[in-house]
Amino acid sequence: MRRSLVVAIAAAAIAAPLAVGTATASAAPRAKAAKAPVVDFNKDGYADLALAAAHATVGGKQEAGYVAVVYGSKGGADQARRKVVDRSSAGVPGDVSKYGAFGRELTAADLDGDGYTDLVVGAGTGGTVVLWGSAAGLTDAAARLPGAVGSLAVGDFDGDGHRDLVTHDHKATPESGPPGMTVSYGPFTRGGEAARKDDIGFESFPELDGFVAGDMDGDGVDDLVTSHSFEDRAFGSRFWKGGASGLGHTSKDLKASVGGAVADVDGDGYGDFVTRDNGPFDDDNEGDKGTVRVDYGSKNGPAATRTVKITQDSPGVPGVGEDGDQFGASISAGDVNGDGYADIAVGVPGEDVTASGKNVRDSGNVVLLKGARSGLSGKGAQSFTQTTPGVPGASEKGDKFGAEVSLADVNGDKKADLTVTAPGEDGTYRDSGAAWVFKGAGTGLTTAGISSFDPAALGAPEKDARLGSRLAR
């Protein structure tokens, strides 16, 4: 927004990991929705963080990129227990190369079925790799994932208990034609081979932009939403139903969307599709005010009519929506206050903030919207910038605080903590990036005990790093 930011609740708090399919006793679910697994590389019960720095200079190579991992603990994100991985790391296939962009895409799942979360890292060159989890965390063992390129998402699309990987690549056939996607079904071997693969063509659909996975029809099997555009025009997204044989080859029309999360915000047992409404155009996302849209889940998937839009001008939402704010640029879900309803963290990286009496452009902001039996709304919403008392740092031009957000229980107290990144934060070098972890509590997010770190704190390369340009979910 283009004025001084007003923080709704000065000393707030937040809570727990992703709450899909949970509900209070007064709101018994009508269906059993699948819960999203926690990113836990060492299976110690604490959520771990993986932050990409795909633009970083590594070994003198511009935009070679790396990924930094910070392990969770009872005290929160433990900077002393960390791992920095790039193409020169032991076991990682490929070489450090200029414009290699290691970390351009990032996701996490237990691909080999051993109970430890694995980290999937996409890149500009050198192919996508998986780093295997273990009791000691991510190991030096890694493998290429053949054919996995472009956008990535994970889910259990056939309900067999093994995590599956969907990727942008697609082998066109005379029947399917380009473009399309490939679903690689788990479990994977340690050599990176899937149990089976399925190529799904989009026929005449426009270009694929990305994926959002989760159970939206309450059958315990994950579904998929694909978003689409062509040149400057946004096209409708598509809902692909998961089932015993995997993702179906036919889809249902949805309104145009960009990114998002699947979570049960109203406690009815169906995962709701929470996304950024894209409108008719795809070339103005960086210049618009931004709108978060909720398509509520049902036995038939995201509802066409039971939907709601939330902006910074909605009742209870702090601030005012103005061009360039990008409300909804990043979205994550988790039960922040432990009430059984998923809450939604919304990144607003284009927010202007008043600091020291001056308007600071594109400093950034993050807003927490709270779930309830009546659904998602602005009631009780919280808002935080680097000018908020208790938040380390200072709001500066181009920080983009809120570029990426993630809700996960890093300290194991059954309440989701919020990780926020600002890739434009300056350190020794310009745009080295930084991250903040807000603790969850019964009343929402709290500014007490916030931890923050930049590449230098992690012993990672700083130059052009833009740490936090991606977060693994």
Side-chain angles (χ1 to χ4, degrees):
M1 71 187 214
R2 310 300 182 217
R3 65 170 181 79
S4 179
L5 186 79
V6 177
V7 178
I9 303 177
I14 188 174
L18 191 68
V20 178
T22 60
T24 60
S26 61
R30 294 177 294 162
K32 185 179 180 181
K35 288 187 178 182
V38 174
V39 175
D40 188 358
F41 301 120
N42 55 4
K43 204 168 65 171
D44 63 355
Y46 303 104
D48 304 318
L49 308 178
L51 308 92
H55 298 274
T57 298
V58 178
K61 303 292 180 66
Q62 183 180 358
E63 292 189 32
Y66 66 84
V67 176
V69 174
V70 179
Y71 291 96
S73 71
K74 187 175 182 179
D78 187 354
Q79 299 173 40
R81 295 174 60 231
R82 70 212 186 214
K83 187 179 184 72
V84 178
V85 182
D86 60 44
R87 288 285 190 188
S88 70
S89 300
V92 177
D95 300 310
V96 176
S97 61
K98 188 176 182 179
Y99 305 128
F102 187 75
R104 187 172 70 177
E105 298 290 338
L106 213 57
T107 192
D110 177 15
L111 293 187
D112 60 354
D114 64 355
Y116 298 97
T117 304
D118 310 307
L119 181 64
V120 181
V121 184
T125 61
T128 298
V129 302
V130 55
L131 310 173
W132 303 111
S134 74
L138 290 179
T139 66
D140 291 336
R144 294 186 189 274
L145 292 175
V149 297
S151 302
L152 308 169
V154 291
D156 183 5
F157 302 116
D158 57 3
D160 66 351
H162 295 291
R163 304 297 284 172
D164 311 314
L165 177 69
V166 59
T167 58
H168 202 149
D169 63 306
H170 170 64
K171 295 178 181 178
T173 66
E175 293 76 24
S176 67
M181 60 186 174
T182 295
V183 187
S184 299
Y185 290 93
F188 287 67
T189 69
R190 279 299 180 104
E193 294 288 343
R196 63 184 177 96
K197 289 189 176 184
D198 187 22
D199 295 303
I200 301 176
F202 290 162
E203 300 173 352
S204 60
F205 295 173
E207 184 175 323
L208 171 67
D209 290 331
F211 308 108
V212 178
D215 180 15
M216 290 164 265
D217 57 9
D219 63 356
V221 180
D222 286 328
D223 312 301
L224 187 72
V225 172
T226 55
S227 56
H228 302 269
S229 67
F230 183 72
E231 294 181 346
D232 64 346
R233 183 179 173 187
F235 287 79
S237 296
R238 314 290 295 190
F239 169 76
W240 306 80
K241 178 176 170 55
S245 59
L247 282 182
H249 283 231
T250 59
S251 60
K252 183 175 77 171
D253 293 340
L254 301 177
K255 301 180 185 72
S257 63
V258 178
V262 176
D264 189 6
V265 299
D266 61 354
D268 67 353
Y270 295 106
D272 307 310
F273 178 47
V274 185
T275 185
R276 182 180 181 182
D277 188 86
N278 209 21
F281 300 106
D282 196 56
D283 63 345
D284 61 351
N285 288 334
E286 292 189 2
D288 72 358
K289 298 178 182 180
T291 299
V292 170
R293 190 181 80 234
V294 185
D295 294 337
Y296 285 95
S298 73
K299 65 180 181 179
N300 297 315
T305 56
R306 191 178 174 226
T307 184
V308 65
K309 293 182 180 181
I310 301 173
T311 71
Q312 285 187 285
D313 298 319
S314 297
V317 179
V320 174
E322 297 184 344
D323 290 344
D325 283 351
Q326 302 178 59
F327 183 78
S330 181
I331 291 172
S332 184
D335 185 2
V336 167
N337 50 15
D339 64 356
Y341 300 99
D343 306 306
I344 302 296
V346 180
V348 198
E351 187 91 58
D352 289 359
V353 175
T354 298
S356 301
K358 298 181 179 180
N359 184 57
V360 184
R361 292 184 60 83
D362 298 335
S363 173
N365 172 31
V366 63
V367 172
L368 181 72
L369 303 175
K370 295 179 180 178
R373 187 172 184 176
S374 57
L376 197 68
S377 71
K379 184 178 180 180
Q382 298 175 261
S383 178
F384 302 89
T385 72
Q386 289 188 75
T387 63
T388 302
V391 178
S395 295
E396 297 173 323
K397 182 180 179 180
D399 280 351
K400 301 287 186 180
F401 183 83
E404 283 283 292
V405 296
S406 178
L407 287 170
D409 185 8
V410 179
N411 62 6
D413 66 353
K414 310 301 182 184
K415 297 179 176 63
D417 309 305
L418 173 65
T419 301
V420 184
T421 70
E425 181 81 6
D426 295 340
T428 303
Y429 295 91
R430 183 178 179 180
D431 296 341
S432 56
W436 292 253
V437 182
F438 292 70
K439 292 181 179 180
T443 54
L445 288 170
T446 177
T447 56
I450 294 174
S451 63
S452 62
F453 51 86
D454 59 9
L458 303 179
E462 293 183 76
K463 188 174 181 181
D464 303 319
R466 301 182 196 174
L467 181 71
S469 55
R470 287 284 189 276
L471 288 173
R473 300 188 182 91

